[in-house]
Amino acid sequence: MKIFVTAKNIISSLGFTSRENMKAVEMQKTGVTYIDQLQGNAKPFYGAKINWEDVESRFSDFENSSNFTATEKLIILSVKDVISQNEGFDAGSPSTVFIISSTKGNIDLLEPQSFFQFDPKRILLWEMGEVITKYFKNPNKSIVISNACVSGVVAINLGKKLLEEDHYKTAVVVGVDILSSFIVSGFQSFKAISQGVCKPYDIGRDGINLGEACATIVLKKGREDQKGIQVLGGSSSNDANHISGPSRTGEGLFISIQKTLRQGNIKVSEIDYISGHGTATTFNDEMESIAISRAGLSAVPANSLKSYFGHTLGAAGVLESALSIHSLEGNMLIATFNYDRNGVSKPLNIIKKTTKKELKTCLKLAAGFGGSNASVLFQKV
Amino acid sequence: MTNLAIKAFVKIEEGKIYSNGELVYSVEPEIHGREFLKNAYMNLGMNYPKFYKMDELSKLALLCSEVMLRRNPVHEMYESEDISIFVSNSSSSLDSDIKHQESIANVDDFYPSPAVFVYTLPNILIGEIAIKYTIKGEQCFFISEAFDVAFMHTFVQNVLVNGEAEVAIVGWVDYFENTYKAVLYTVEKTTDQFLMNHTLENIKLIF
């Protein structure tokens, strides 16, 4: 049985559709800026902010804005976009399942100014999930995954699995997280945020940029002879080493890469492009280079998209997969913005200049707090 | 004939710990969750200093895993990358979230710390279990209103039948303010006839 990606959307600092985002990235535009007006007490930081006036104006075109939280508005807009792309898929059908990936969902509701706007129950991620399925008149419970920064990739892998089990015909996989003082102040306490636009894998890297985004990928079962982007396989793993730092030997990510290649029946030599996790912290990028090297993939053109979008946490796995799929479809290797010189002990083949190249198979990587790792394989057929 | 079986299950709730249905530890119900977790840890003789750094949610998860793995030491019987962990809850990491929010609420009394912030993700408890028992396989944290028996049953069955793992540690770990409940059980292939099979009814019984 083959599982295909049949529609995608990205709402981020760089646009409201995945095509718009891809165009911006091709033109080497970054969504990262200096942000000093975030609600709450977090200090100013470099991050990638969505245009919320634009969100409001788009949303209030068809709906009462005050009934939905910021995060919910993004999800609804994103899913509406994929619905418009997809030749009659019914979001309300019992054979459609929603899978939502988010690290903190409506956590901004903990801020005092939100106290009287929404029922505090909305902070619960499953409650947010219910708002979404109710909105799209879907009779199933949404499946909510909250597994740090690997949530998005894990959600895509779950979607494939559920379709293979034949319970559903369509999986709508949504990844979302918004900027909040809650999240920003937390990363600031780790001293993990860069002093400018981040530099993934670079010798001068000094930390992450945080970003906000919502991305949606629609998965469907396809015929044996169907053309398009297939999800070949995926896996997750744990380093069993540390809760907030990655394994020095890239243990968990290496395990996941091998499992994913085995599952997808793909040889190392068949991988055309690696969409890395590349958060631009000293430790993550170093760990990733070791894992990729152990897997024999050091020569494969690789990038991180986080210097365009920031680290979008629960959205990252879905957003970056959607963009990587655009790369496959357009045969375009996207440069790692702001990368200049190698800064990892096992040098990677980092894409420095956006280049046209025949591409067929992409490996997407993710790693997260809690020692979690995940990967997924996409192939253009 | 190979079946999937549940060889161990542990429930922790209202000051009581049950191992395979048998009460193995209890305290007065008025005792606060925080005290209960500390007392249970000492009673178990765990000798694992990292425990004290954890938030209550992770402490609860560790206690539950310890009792379960003493009953069925799968971490010693299987390769670490073949052991999977799938846990869910309703409140995510809200107990720690509120502590972190308190530390940033007042610009004049602003004290966010990595030690608290790291626990504002529910899957950290999976990481803590993985570290203590060296478990490196498939893992995922789900959020749902109640333990989704049908979903978890199908999902775990799929993972094991497809060979993506050889054993799964599955369950529910929720801690919020003074209300807590944890249920963890193991699922693995077996040819033994006289065990609890991995069925919807049996999972409901465990809870």
Side-chain angles (χ1 to χ4, degrees), chain B residues 59-76:
Chain B
K59 283 180 181 146
L60 179 60
L62 255 282
L63 288 173
C64 202
S65 312
E66 177 73 12
V67 175
M68 185 186 67
L69 292 172
R70 283 186 189 182
R71 181 67 82 141
N72 184 18
V74 296
H75 59 303
E76 286 164 7

Side-chain angles (χ1 to χ4, degrees), chain A residues 90-94 98 130-140:
Chain A
D90 183 6
S93 160
F98 279 77
E130 275 190 11
V131 167
I132 299 305
T133 49
K134 193 167 153 204
Y135 182 85
F136 289 103
K137 301 189 167 58
N138 186 279
N140 303 310

